[in-house]
Amino acid sequence: MPNWIINFLARNTPSCKEVIQLISNSMEQPLSLQKRISLQFHFLICKWCSRYQKQLRFIRNILGRNPEKVGENAPGALSQETKERIKQALRPPK
Amino acid sequence: MVSERAINRKPNEAAPSSDPETWVEMHGDALYRFALLRLRDPKLAEDAVQETLLSALQARDRFLGQASERSWLIGILKHKVIDYFRKISRETLIEDAALFEEEMEGVFDENGHWKRDETGPCEWNADPEILLERKQFWIALYGCLSKLPPRMAHVFSLREIDGVSGEQVCEALNLSASNLWVLMHRARMQLRQCLEIHFFGRKKDKQ
């Protein structure tokens, strides 16, 4: 891509800092056409922001499809003592 | 004592037993980890597990076994956690923002652009199918979620792990839509960066 186009796009699209906020917003609610277009132009000249978007979508997909995996591999367990205490609380009062 | 098989039962198999004391053995740890990730405090998480099981005991007749016992209990726990956050409401918002600013210092240049390859996202060689099976990935992910400031972690888990809609999160936690977007943006940014450093093998440039 010729330099003048890159410079033109760099001046006329939002900064990376703004772009990544827009990327996140687009995962909450559809963006206006104008914002979508400025994102696409920014991606043309910025591989880092394109990667950023790809990676955020990747995180969303992998979590959304496997919500139980996060907890399964987490450290942490109830101590035997706590388990007994909870069981005690669950017994009907005498 | 519950047999080894019963403890290792997959969560999606409906359990025939609904004796509350076996719930503690079969689901106690899973509930605890679920609560700990969101509440961050072992004591609070233990209390949430106990309250969940007590509520479950009272509502036992309403459990008809369409869902697995585990997801039924998790459903109750989810509500307990939201109730807790509703109670403490706004207090932690400001603290979260300060923690985030600190974490992200120096990522952008004075024009708000990545400092090229120095701070810009690097290529992840990530095949989702392979990652899924890698325990190491999930451990890193859990570690990174645990490092998010509490409020961000909570909002993020509700949206991206529990699949709660944005409107519901705002309603439950008394947030405006723009508050929510800022929190989600920060959580995503920090989590992405943490995964890149701790799992995808990027060197931490600053320091």
Side-chain angles (χ1 to χ4, degrees):
Chain A
M1 204 188 303
N3 264 339
W4 69 268
I5 299 188
I6 296 177
N7 290 336
F8 177 81
L9 289 175
R11 273 197 311 274
N12 291 286
T13 68
S15 69
C16 301
K17 205 174 174 176
E18 292 163 316
V19 164
I20 60 171
Q21 173 78 62
L22 285 180
I23 291 173
S24 176
N25 291 357
S26 75
M27 297 169 82
E28 299 300 313
Q29 207 181 51
L31 295 179
S32 68
L33 182 62
Q34 193 201 351
K35 282 182 179 152
R36 287 208 303 272
I37 293 171
S38 67
L39 275 189
Q40 291 311 319
F41 276 117
H42 184 91
F43 291 152
L44 281 179
I45 55 161
C46 181
K47 63 177 179 189
W48 299 285
C49 286
S50 337
R51 281 179 196 159
Y52 188 91
Q53 181 179 48
K54 227 170 92 192
Q55 292 165 358
L56 250 49
R57 290 186 174 162
F58 167 77
I59 293 172
R60 163 170 279 187
N61 287 338
I62 205 161
L63 283 177
R65 279 190 279 140
N66 311 276
E68 74 295 337
K69 286 245 183 190
V70 187
E72 266 171 31
N73 295 297
L78 292 169
S79 66
Q80 209 45 52
E81 200 187 326
T82 311
K83 283 186 178 166
E84 284 312 315
R85 203 189 66 223
I86 295 176
K87 284 183 193 172
Q88 192 67 46
L90 289 171
R91 280 175 203 143
K94 288 187 180 130
Chain B
M1 201 56 200
V2 179
S3 74
E4 195 63 15
R5 229 188 97 244
I7 296 173
N8 291 332
R9 190 197 308 277
K10 292 218 179 70
N12 54 1
E13 286 173 40
S17 130
S18 51
D19 168 18
E21 291 194 29
T22 63
W23 291 345
V24 180
E25 295 296 340
M26 285 178 50
H27 309 301
D29 289 341
L31 292 171
Y32 176 70
R33 287 192 290 262
F34 183 98
L36 188 61
L37 177 62
R38 290 156 177 82
L39 298 169
R40 301 312 182 78
D41 177 289
K43 191 77 197 58
L44 284 176
E46 285 173 13
D47 290 349
V49 174
Q50 177 164 333
E51 277 182 45
T52 297
L53 294 178
L54 282 170
S55 300
L57 184 60
Q58 281 166 3
R60 187 153 54 151
D61 303 339
R62 273 177 275 148
F63 173 63
L64 299 169
Q66 326 90 318
S68 74
E69 198 171 63
R70 170 80 57 91
S71 42
W72 174 61
L73 292 171
I74 293 272
I76 300 173
L77 175 57
K78 244 182 233 180
H79 285 286
K80 300 281 172 204
V81 172
I82 290 182
D83 283 345
Y84 171 78
F85 273 92
R86 197 182 314 222
K87 252 183 265 162
I88 63 163
S89 205
R90 286 167 215 277
E91 292 159 31
T92 51
L93 273 176
I94 299 158
E95 192 186 318
D96 269 24
L99 285 171
F100 173 78
E101 295 299 335
E102 201 175 298
E103 191 70 23
M104 290 304 150
E105 217 198 307
V107 169
F108 297 104
D109 65 18
E110 67 282 4
N111 298 318
H113 293 293
W114 304 107
K115 295 177 184 165
R116 308 189 67 83
D117 280 327
E118 192 191 319
T119 60
C122 64
E123 196 71 62
W124 289 4
N125 294 313
D127 179 343
E129 300 309 314
I130 296 171
L131 272 191
L132 259 179
E133 300 308 322
R134 283 193 60 191
K135 213 174 168 163
Q136 220 41 47
F137 173 73
W138 294 100
I139 292 170
L141 185 66
Y142 188 87
C144 287
L145 282 170
S146 318
K147 276 188 210 146
L148 294 179
R151 184 70 161 201
M152 261 155 59
H154 183 59
V155 168
F156 183 85
S157 333
L158 281 175
R159 287 282 293 120
E160 302 285 39
I161 305 176
D162 304 335
V164 180
S165 77
E167 292 83 41
Q168 280 174 303
V169 174
C170 287
E171 195 271 326
L173 302 179
N174 201 7
L175 292 171
S176 68
S178 57
N179 281 157
L180 174 73
W181 294 354
V182 169
L183 285 173
M184 288 301 295
H185 161 56
R186 291 179 170 174
R188 287 177 174 128
M189 185 175 175
Q190 196 168 326
L191 184 70
R192 193 209 67 80
Q193 177 166 301
C194 176
L195 275 175
E196 187 159 284
I197 292 168
H198 292 100
F199 184 76
F200 293 99
R202 181 203 191 89
K203 304 242 172 353
K204 198 167 181 174
D205 300 306
K206 33 181 200 171
Q207 278 170 5

